[in-house]
């Protein structure tokens, strides 16, 4: 048992440490500056309060990106100095963001301890490596992201910090080996418990889904499956769940070895970056698998996002890319029948404001409570803690439920497999299985189709749109909203066939649980026929600004729900780009990513 003492290190505030919607994200070169990480961590401890940290149990892990191992050692030493009693670390520092939430909520230590919170080391879907992104965020004892009241205190503390505490004489802990390390300090015993990264999460998934039903589906010779972890932390769970528990072939797993730089790729599960999966699914225009699987899915770096794909129908047909907006609606529509966890019914459903209204229609049909919230999973967490929401999702490939307080990419994939298994429960020996295509088409025929796309404007893969130009564009759009007659005249001059705007605003949300108000959450133009244009600045990048443009059109006519999405949305896209003067403000003639 090693001994350590507490050292107070003099420091001074460092600009730019305001957490975004998903914590603090910067380039690695920023985080490795002297005192940078330490300032933020100490500011977090100070915001939480010494009374809560003394004797606490904290989880410290992440997606394994570059600098994670160094950061874990620093946080362990600082936690010890701040009176924390024990630290739980996933083996090799690996825990997916949803698994962290599950560990905080579900895990009980050998001594009966429960976690009080967690530091999650991730920049989510952003690239990793020495010249790429790193991130850190704090999750509360409910397993969800810190609310704005806490993150505001953290930021305020970063602007006034004068010192941080760190344990001197505490050696680095070997996080590659499962086991317990014991130390002593001024406040008594301090432990670091390195545990298996997957066990708690797998146990939770098995309590939610009928694994035997899914296993029968995966064993059918008519059903083929592919899962791409994009070299993110999902790889630490994929083999355990899909191969060992559900019986899938190991060859069905792609890029499931976690890497610090995600194999040099961009761990964002969309049609642009998940190139290998897209090709295997027969969705690429240049490099295709002649015999694609029936079902494909991908995860992002920290495994909280997902993408679901079905087999391509024809060379130019991308319709069986299941949009995240459709995905959460389809899961909600089928959850009670297909997922044992929801057999007692759904408490309610929720979506982020930019997400399409597909979920709204399901909620209305099923007479469910419905909520529209700002972007950021913490808003869902409040509703879940209050017992008002069971299933929720956002257009940025995030889907989840009240089993944890984070979005959950593997959960979403298992939900889809459960739905497919349910639809085929009496058909596994038949000539043709019910497919992703069949499920999506049936949903559209029942609820209508929400044609939907998102345009992201970045300068290139590494450098974002100039923040000044982005803010000017948003200010222009707000000013334009003051005169809808002028707006509609502009629109008719661009496309006479596009409906009139009947309302325009900046989205503002009053939380029904705690009464807090979130302003300036995105600019909306709402059309007479139910179409929407939404403009929003993303808070998930590490520098600059990313403008996200969301375009949606609702179609109830069964004869018009099978069109190509980009063709159907072309008039609205033209209106959006010209109305906003996108190229003039950003210098970009085309988006970086279209989803």
């Amino acid at each position: 048992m090693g001994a350590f003492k507490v050292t107070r290190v003099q420091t001074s505030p460092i600009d730019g440490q305001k957490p975004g919607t998903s914590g603090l994200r910067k380039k690695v070169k920023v985080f490795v500056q002297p005192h940078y990480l330490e300032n933020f961590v100490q500011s977090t401890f100070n915001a939480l309060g010494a009374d809560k940290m003394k004797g606490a149990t904290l989880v410290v892990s992440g997606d394994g990106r570059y600098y994670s191992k160094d950061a874990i050692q620093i946080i362990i030493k600082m936690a010890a100095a701040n009176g924390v009693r024990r630290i739980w670390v996933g083996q090799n520092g690996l825990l997916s963001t949803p698994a962290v939430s599950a560990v905080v909520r579900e895990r009980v230590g050998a001594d009966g301890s429960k976690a009080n919170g967690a530091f999650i080391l991730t920049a989510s879907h952003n690239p990793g490596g020495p010249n790429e992104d790193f991130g850190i965020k704090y999750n509360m004892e409910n397993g969800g992201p810190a609310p704005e009241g806490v993150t505001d205190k953290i930021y305020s503390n970063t602007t006034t910090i004068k010192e941080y505490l760190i344990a001197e004489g505490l050696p680095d802990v070997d996080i590659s080996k499962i086991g317990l390390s014991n130390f002593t300090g001024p406040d008594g015993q301090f432990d670091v418990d390195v545990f298996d990264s997957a066990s708690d999460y797998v146990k939770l998934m098995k309590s939610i889904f009928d694994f035997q039903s899914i296993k029968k589906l995966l064993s059918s010779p008519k059903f083929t499956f592919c899962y791409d972890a994009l070299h993110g932390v999902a790889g630490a769970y994929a083999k355990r769940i899909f191969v060992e528990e559900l019986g899938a072939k190991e060859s069905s797993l792609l890029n499931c070895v976690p890497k610090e730089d995600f194999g040099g790729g961009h761990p964002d599960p969309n049609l642009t970056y998940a190139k290998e999966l897209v090709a295997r699914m027969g969705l690429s225009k240049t490099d295709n698998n002649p015999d694609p699987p029936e079902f494909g899915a991908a995860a992002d770096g920290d495994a909280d996002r997902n993408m679901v794909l079905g087999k391509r129908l024809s060379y130019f047909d991308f319709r069986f890319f299941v949009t995240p907006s459709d995905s959460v609606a389809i899961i909600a529509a089928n959850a009670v029948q297909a997922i044992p966890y929801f057999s007692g019914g759904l408490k309610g459903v929720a979506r982020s404001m930019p997400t399409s209204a597909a979920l709204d229609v399901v909620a209305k049909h099923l007479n469910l409570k419905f909520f529209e919230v700002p972007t950021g999973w913490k808003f869902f967490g409040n509703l879940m803690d209050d017992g008002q929401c069971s299933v929720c999702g956002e257009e940025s490939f995030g889907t989840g439920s009240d089993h944890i307080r984070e979005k959950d990419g593997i959960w979403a994939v298992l939900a889809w497999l459960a739905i497919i298994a349910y639809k085929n429960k009496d058909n596994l020996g038949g000539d043709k299985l019910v497919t992703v295509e069949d499920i999506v088409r049936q949903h559209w025929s029942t609820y209508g189709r929400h044609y939907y796309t998102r345009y992201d404007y970045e300068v290139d893969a590494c450098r974002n749109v100039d923040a000044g130009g982005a803010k000017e564009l948003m200010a222009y759009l707000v000013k334009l909203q003051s005169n809808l007659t002028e707006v509609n005249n502009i629109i008719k001059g661009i496309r006479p066939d596009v409906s009139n705007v009947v309302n325009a605003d900046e989205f503002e949300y009053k939380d029904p649980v705690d009464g807090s108000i979130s302003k300036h959450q995105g600019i909306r133009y709402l059309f007479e026929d139910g179409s929407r244009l939404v403009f929003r600045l993303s808070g998930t990048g590490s520098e600059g600004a990313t403008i996200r443009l969301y375009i949606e059109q609702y179609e109830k006519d069964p004869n018009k729900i099978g069109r190509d999405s980009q063709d159907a949305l072309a008039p609205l896209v033209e209106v959006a780009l010209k109305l906003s003067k996108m190229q003039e403000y950003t210098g970009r003639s085309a988006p970086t990513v279209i989803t």
Side-chain angles (χ1 to χ4, degrees), residues 138 140 144-152 378 382 514:
Y138 188 82
M140 307 297 285
E148 287 185 335
V150 174
T151 57
D152 286 346
K378 56 195 171 189
N382 263 12
D514 62 19

Side-chain angles (χ1 to χ4, degrees), residues 183-194:
F183 307 94
T184 56
D187 292 310
Q189 188 169 331
F190 173 72
D191 299 334
V192 179
D193 184 1
V194 180

Side-chain angles (χ1 to χ4, degrees), residues 519-591:
K519 298 182 178 182
H520 309 300
Q521 296 297 314
I523 297 168
R524 304 189 294 181
Y525 287 82
L526 310 178
F527 292 75
E528 194 171 21
D529 64 355
S531 299
R532 294 194 312 163
L533 297 179
V534 176
F535 299 83
R536 180 177 161 270
L537 292 181
S538 171
T540 60
S542 63
E543 60 184 12
T546 300
I547 299 170
R548 301 201 195 281
L549 163 60
Y550 311 85
I551 303 158
E552 175 184 0
Q553 180 177 310
Y554 181 47
E555 182 58 70
K556 292 186 289 186
D557 186 343
N559 298 314
K560 296 181 179 179
I561 60 174
R563 299 178 64 192
D564 176 81
S565 183
Q566 294 301 323
D567 289 343
L569 291 170
L572 270 177
V573 170
E574 184 179 356
V575 165
L577 298 181
K578 292 181 178 178
L579 179 68
S580 65
K581 301 182 180 179
M582 185 68 74
Q583 184 170 355
E584 177 180 329
Y585 281 106
T586 67
R588 294 298 309 277
S589 60

Side-chain angles (χ1 to χ4, degrees), residues 488-499:
N488 286 319
N489 286 337
I490 294 172
I491 289 173
K492 294 305 178 186
I494 300 169
R495 291 291 303 228
D497 55 338
V498 169
S499 179

Side-chain angles (χ1 to χ4, degrees), residues 51-282:
D51 56 329
K52 287 190 176 181
M53 288 299 97
K54 297 292 184 183
T57 298
L58 298 181
V59 183
V60 182
S61 289
D63 60 16
R65 66 179 56 236
Y66 185 85
Y67 190 57
S68 292
K69 292 177 180 177
D70 293 335
I72 288 171
Q73 301 296 341
I74 291 170
I75 296 170
I76 288 173
K77 292 176 174 66
M78 292 187 67
N82 279 273
V84 171
R85 171 64 178 79
R86 61 185 65 79
I87 293 290
W88 291 348
V89 182
Q91 188 175 17
N92 294 310
L94 296 177
L95 280 176
S96 70
T97 293
V100 171
S101 186
V103 166
V104 171
R105 294 174 63 82
E106 304 287 340
R107 188 171 193 263
V108 179
D111 57 358
S113 56
K114 291 272 292 179
N116 301 97
F119 283 100
I120 306 180
L121 308 178
T122 178
S124 190
H125 56 293
N126 294 354
N131 299 311
E132 298 296 351
D133 294 353
F134 186 76
I136 181 171
K137 70 173 184 173
Y138 188 82
N139 277 31
M140 307 297 285
E141 60 190 4
N142 71 341
E148 287 185 335
V150 174
T151 57
D152 286 346
K153 284 183 181 178
I154 294 171
Y155 174 59
S156 177
N157 289 342
T158 68
T159 66
T160 59
I161 189 169
K162 295 180 180 179
E163 66 176 15
Y164 61 81
L165 309 183
I166 196 160
E168 184 180 332
L170 185 68
D172 284 356
V173 176
D174 185 354
I175 60 174
S176 69
K177 296 178 181 178
I178 293 174
L180 186 66
S181 300
N182 309 114
F183 307 94
T184 56
D187 292 310
Q189 188 169 331
F190 173 72
D191 299 334
V192 179
D193 184 1
V194 180
F195 63 99
D196 180 74
S197 300
S199 295
D200 297 287
Y201 182 79
V202 173
K203 180 181 177 182
L204 180 59
M205 292 301 103
K206 291 178 75 172
S207 74
I208 294 170
F209 298 100
D210 182 350
F211 267 41
Q212 287 305 309
S213 174
I214 298 173
K215 189 171 184 177
K216 287 180 183 178
L217 173 70
L218 292 180
S219 68
S220 169
K222 296 184 179 66
F223 186 81
T224 45
F225 164 84
C226 182
Y227 184 80
D228 189 348
L230 296 175
H231 287 302
V233 73
Y237 305 86
K239 184 177 179 181
R240 184 82 67 90
I241 292 175
F242 298 120
V243 177
E244 296 178 12
E245 293 285 348
L246 296 174
K249 296 178 181 178
E250 197 160 351
S251 59
S252 65
L253 303 183
L254 287 174
N255 304 314
C256 282
V257 176
K259 296 184 178 181
E260 289 187 336
D261 65 349
F262 306 108
H266 193 144
D268 195 353
N270 59 45
L271 295 174
T272 300
Y273 295 123
K275 293 182 176 67
E276 194 170 345
L277 175 65
V278 168
R280 185 176 285 201
M281 292 302 299

Side-chain angles (χ1 to χ4, degrees), residues 341-395:
Y341 180 81
F342 299 115
S343 59
L346 300 181
K347 302 166 189 172
V349 295
R351 65 166 174 85
S352 65
M353 183 275 287
T355 303
S356 92
L359 185 62
D360 312 34
V361 181
V362 171
K364 185 175 181 180
H365 273 66
L366 300 182
N367 195 29
L368 296 170
K369 287 182 183 178
F370 168 78
F371 301 90
E372 181 182 31
V373 307
T375 297
W377 210 260
K378 56 195 171 189
F379 297 103
F380 295 129
N382 263 12
L383 296 170
M384 291 175 180
D385 286 344
D386 200 50
Q388 297 195 63
C389 178
S390 296
V391 172
C392 55
E394 55 189 20
E395 51 71 37

